[in-house]
Amino acid sequence: MGTGPANLLAHGLIDRLEQSGCRTELVEIAPPVGDWCSELRTGFAVQRAVRVATADAVSAGAFPVLLSGDCNTSVGVIAGLQAGGVDPGFVWCDAHADFHTPATDRFGSLDCQGLAMLAGRAWRELVRQMGLRPLRDSRVVLVGARSVDRDEFGRSAPGTVLGLQNAMEKSLKSVAEMIGKARAHE
């Protein structure tokens, strides 16, 4: 797991958010301990806990922010948003597409399958049991993937796939149209 979240917290993220007027509540979710924990069991246990915390935050009228060292926790966030009555879309910004399924993932790593789970193409039954309704392709954007395996998309890519340069240009043009004063350089 990545160390980014711990570093952000250690360098005062909570204090800075509170100083800017944000009400914060830190909820730490730890992986299960004890019995032997496989990556699959641990990953889905954490996703379920993230789902509950996210749904609780939405139900309380809060805006949940997740700091995680694992892309797959996004499955728990989206399931929690859905449980809270939100119909989310998702922008996946990553150097890796994470669109493998168990059939295409030559490494056997759950971490390579996060976006595929969100789109309903991997671990369908486990994801369904967690409460996730797969996102429609039109609600998914993949941005900046530079490392995509040939078998990863198979016959179906997730929604919109944008290279980083293309995404930045589209974003800048969109912002320019919204505010009418900015200029997007091409």
Side-chain angles (χ1 to χ4, degrees), residues 141-171:
V141 178
L142 170 60
V143 177
R146 62 172 167 68
S147 178
V148 178
D149 290 340
R150 160 173 39 106
D151 297 334
E152 204 159 1
F153 292 142
R155 293 187 194 124
S156 63
T160 305
V161 180
L162 300 174
L164 191 53
Q165 182 66 31
N166 188 325
M168 292 303 292
E169 289 173 6
K170 284 186 175 229
S171 297

Side-chain angles (χ1 to χ4, degrees), residues 48-60:
R48 282 189 296 276
V50 168
R51 177 195 182 274
V52 169
T54 302
D56 289 349
V58 170
S59 295

